[in-house]
Amino acid sequence: MRTIKLILAYDGTDFAGWQRQGQRRTVQATLEATIEKITGQQASVLASGRTDAGVHALGQVVGFETASRLSTAVIQRALNAELPCDVTVLDAAEVRPGFHPTHHALRKRYRYVIHDGPVRNVFQRNYCWHYTYGRLSVEAMQRAATALIGTHDFSSFETSGSPRKTSVRTVFDLSVRRDGAGGQGRGEDADFVTIEVEANGFLYNMVRAIVGTLVEVGRGFQPESWVGDVLNATDRRLAGRTAPPQGLFLVNVDYE
Amino acid sequence: MRTIKLILAYDGTDFAGWQRQGQRRTVQATLEATIEKITGQQASVLASGRTDAGVHALGQVVGFETASRLSTAVIQRALNAELPCDVTVLDAAEVRPGFHPTHHALRKRYRYVIHDGPVRNVFQRNYCWHYTYGRLSVEAMQRAATALIGTHDFSSFETSGSPRKTSVRTVFDLSVRRDGAGGQGRGEDADFVTIEVEANGFLYNMVRAIVGTLVEVGRGFQPESWVGDVLNATDRRLAGRTAPPQGLFLVNVDYE
């Protein structure tokens, strides 16, 4: 058996998330069915982590075993020819047996996009959180966010009930910018705020809880020091609400 | 009666174009129904021009008459609260009676976006033409395009059967660039080519026929001089094919 690693991009809008759930349209079920179609063999695909309904991926990493002799270039081309238009294979490579996309991941990076302009951007409606409570101060958010960088117990930013051995994670980078990453249909770039977080792992809904907390500071409803207080309290009830899924993108996953 | 001018943005993906067509979901029918809902009065809306199914607008201009006393700020807010998420009012203003968005337009600008990278961009799939025949030379396209600037008979770039008095139009600007207008989900900006055309008016499918012709040059299938030859022949059969609708954006319309 060969082990194949794929890098996937998908638009999460019309998927019920990554993970197979009965008859619902999920990325995993769609990909497994397509692999079976091109290789003629059942496939079981693992991902670096689940993404929820509405969450997007620019570089999700997945792996599967196959007895197929098709080259990785042919696998990529054949999958892209057969996959629906909202998921695509950016790269395919053969990796050492035993490669596990979840357990072997060293770092993951997520991006969250907020639109804080007054009028909805029709082209970005599925790719951002339209924040309608007023203009955000990215400077205040960036200063407040520094409290989260480093190794901490992130219980305050974990949706309760998640089965994890530990809620300690290391955040390597957390940036907040009002940026020029705009483009087609983005209208005024200045109306978009991008938050990026890189860590050695993430608790369930951690990025969305961090975003929901930082906007409280960005809007001036809480002082900058509050974010550190929330972290130290290790109590989810103290943090901001969970930001909606459609603003979230899994950017990439690093291995060894 | 007051005359109200609106500037609209819409994502054309799920609309059967601008113009009312029986029970189909069109921008005109959607907007008229929403105006009637907020003013309590029937409304008949005119646009600067029709857009076809799948074609988008960053700044479509429309006008309607109303006896409503609502301020334009309230009209804009109320429409945006009631309109579906793929159409939005960017501006509302009261204009002089008799304003006609079609007849009084002086200049219109369209943008066409081509993606010529090898792998489909899932986030831009409804907002560009994925050109899979290879890399385009924007330099060759730009040089060839200069033949179209100025006042010409554009019959070669008009879908036949259109009822127009004349097929002479003046193109003020035609630019082809491989640009940094990328952003969220665009991946490599360098894989996107943007063509913008400004003219005093456009024949039916004119931008899409120009694009379909320029790519023949960009791909090296025709020499640069061929575009001028096609123009001079005033024969639609000689030009390239009509590029697909989803890459086309009505950018703005200028009046007096």
Side-chain angles (χ1 to χ4, degrees):
Chain A
M1 295 288 271
R2 298 154 71 209
T3 302
I4 307 295
K5 173 188 173 191
L6 304 177
I7 302 180
L8 297 183
Y10 48 83
D11 178 336
T13 307
D14 296 328
F15 286 109
W18 162 261
Q19 195 171 42
R20 185 184 278 283
Q21 299 172 59
Q23 295 304 307
R24 299 187 68 188
R25 184 176 190 265
T26 67
V27 184
Q28 184 182 27
T30 301
L31 182 61
E32 288 178 351
T34 310
I35 292 171
E36 290 172 25
K37 185 169 179 181
I38 68 161
T39 64
Q41 300 156 19
Q42 275 222 322
S44 180
V45 180
L46 296 169
S48 72
R50 307 175 195 176
T51 51
D52 282 333
V55 174
H56 315 288
L58 301 172
Q60 169 71 288
V61 174
V62 307
F64 64 98
E65 295 197 326
T66 183
S68 165
R69 306 297 304 162
L70 296 172
S71 73
T72 52
V74 167
I75 288 172
Q76 180 182 7
R77 255 203 318 275
L79 286 173
N80 282 337
E82 295 290 340
L83 283 166
C85 61
D86 48 357
V87 52
T88 192
V89 177
L90 301 176
D91 191 54
E94 187 164 348
V95 290
R96 62 175 171 76
F99 168 73
H100 195 296
T102 321
H103 300 147
H104 298 158
L106 295 181
R107 278 185 307 277
K108 292 167 82 169
R109 176 172 284 265
Y110 279 97
R111 178 180 301 161
Y112 197 95
V113 180
I114 301 171
H115 175 227
D116 63 352
V119 176
R120 180 178 57 235
N121 182 310
V122 295
F123 300 101
Q124 296 297 325
R125 67 191 189 279
N126 295 323
Y127 311 112
C128 65
W129 176 18
H130 187 199
Y131 184 81
T132 53
Y133 305 100
R135 204 74 167 170
L136 294 165
S137 164
V138 294
E139 296 76 15
M141 292 167 77
Q142 179 67 76
R143 284 191 299 265
T146 57
L148 304 178
I149 296 172
T151 302
H152 305 287
D153 180 337
F154 283 94
S155 300
S156 294
F157 302 95
E158 175 176 32
T159 295
S160 56
S162 332
R164 306 273 182 181
K165 279 182 226 152
T166 168
S167 36
V168 174
R169 294 291 183 277
T170 300
V171 169
F172 303 114
D173 183 43
L174 206 176
S175 67
V176 184
R177 61 182 199 273
R178 188 178 291 283
D179 67 0
Q184 189 59 62
R186 269 254 181 129
E188 289 297 305
D189 292 354
D191 288 343
F192 287 88
V193 173
T194 300
I195 298 167
E196 289 210 357
V197 192
E198 188 170 77
N200 64 347
F202 289 87
L203 305 171
Y204 186 51
N205 276 347
M206 178 167 149
V207 178
R208 290 164 57 190
I210 288 174
V211 170
T213 301
L214 290 178
V215 297
E216 294 292 303
V217 174
R219 190 61 189 91
F221 296 145
Q222 296 285 355
E224 293 170 20
S225 60
W226 175 69
V227 174
D229 296 342
V230 168
L231 175 72
N232 293 331
T234 63
D235 182 346
R236 178 67 185 87
R237 293 168 301 179
L238 299 186
R241 66 170 168 142
T242 301
Q246 76 277 4
L248 187 61
F249 295 75
L250 172 57
V251 177
N252 58 41
V253 189
D254 289 341
Y255 294 87
E256 54 191 37
Chain B
M1 296 288 271
R2 298 154 71 210
T3 302
I4 308 295
K5 173 186 172 191
L6 304 177
I7 302 179
L8 297 183
Y10 48 83
D11 178 335
T13 307
D14 296 328
F15 286 108
W18 162 261
Q19 194 173 43
R20 185 184 278 284
Q21 299 172 58
Q23 296 304 306
R24 300 188 69 187
R25 184 176 190 264
T26 67
V27 184
Q28 183 182 28
T30 301
L31 182 61
E32 287 178 350
T34 309
I35 292 171
E36 290 173 24
K37 185 169 179 179
I38 68 161
T39 63
Q41 298 156 20
Q42 274 222 323
S44 180
V45 180
L46 296 169
S48 73
R50 307 175 194 177
T51 52
D52 282 333
V55 174
H56 315 289
L58 301 171
Q60 169 71 288
V61 174
V62 307
F64 64 98
E65 295 198 325
T66 183
S68 165
R69 307 297 304 161
L70 296 172
S71 73
T72 52
V74 167
I75 288 172
Q76 181 183 6
R77 256 204 316 276
L79 285 174
N80 282 338
E82 296 289 341
L83 282 166
C85 61
D86 49 355
V87 52
T88 193
V89 178
L90 301 177
D91 191 53
E94 188 163 347
V95 290
R96 62 173 173 74
F99 168 74
H100 195 296
T102 321
H103 300 148
H104 297 157
L106 295 182
R107 278 185 306 278
K108 293 168 81 170
R109 175 172 284 264
Y110 280 96
R111 178 181 303 160
Y112 196 96
V113 180
I114 301 171
H115 176 228
D116 63 352
V119 176
R120 181 178 56 235
N121 182 311
V122 294
F123 300 102
Q124 297 296 326
R125 68 190 189 278
N126 296 323
Y127 311 113
C128 65
W129 175 20
H130 187 200
Y131 184 81
T132 53
Y133 304 98
R135 204 72 167 172
L136 294 165
S137 164
V138 294
E139 296 75 17
M141 291 167 75
Q142 179 67 77
R143 284 190 299 265
T146 57
L148 304 178
I149 295 173
T151 303
H152 306 286
D153 179 337
F154 283 94
S155 300
S156 293
F157 302 95
E158 175 176 31
T159 294
S160 57
S162 333
R164 307 271 181 183
K165 279 182 226 151
T166 167
S167 35
V168 173
R169 295 291 183 277
T170 300
V171 169
F172 303 114
D173 183 42
L174 207 177
S175 67
V176 184
R177 61 184 199 272
R178 188 178 291 284
D179 68 0
Q184 188 59 59
R186 270 255 182 128
E188 288 297 305
D189 293 352
D191 288 342
F192 287 89
V193 173
T194 300
I195 298 167
E196 289 210 358
V197 192
E198 189 170 77
N200 64 348
F202 290 86
L203 305 172
Y204 185 51
N205 276 347
M206 178 169 150
V207 178
R208 291 164 58 190
I210 289 174
V211 169
T213 302
L214 290 178
V215 297
E216 294 293 304
V217 174
R219 191 59 189 92
F221 297 145
Q222 296 284 355
E224 294 169 19
S225 60
W226 174 68
V227 174
D229 296 342
V230 169
L231 175 72
N232 293 331
T234 63
D235 181 345
R236 178 67 186 87
R237 294 169 299 179
L238 298 187
R241 65 171 169 142
T242 302
Q246 76 278 3
L248 186 61
F249 295 75
L250 172 57
V251 177
N252 58 41
V253 189
D254 289 341
Y255 294 87
E256 56 193 38

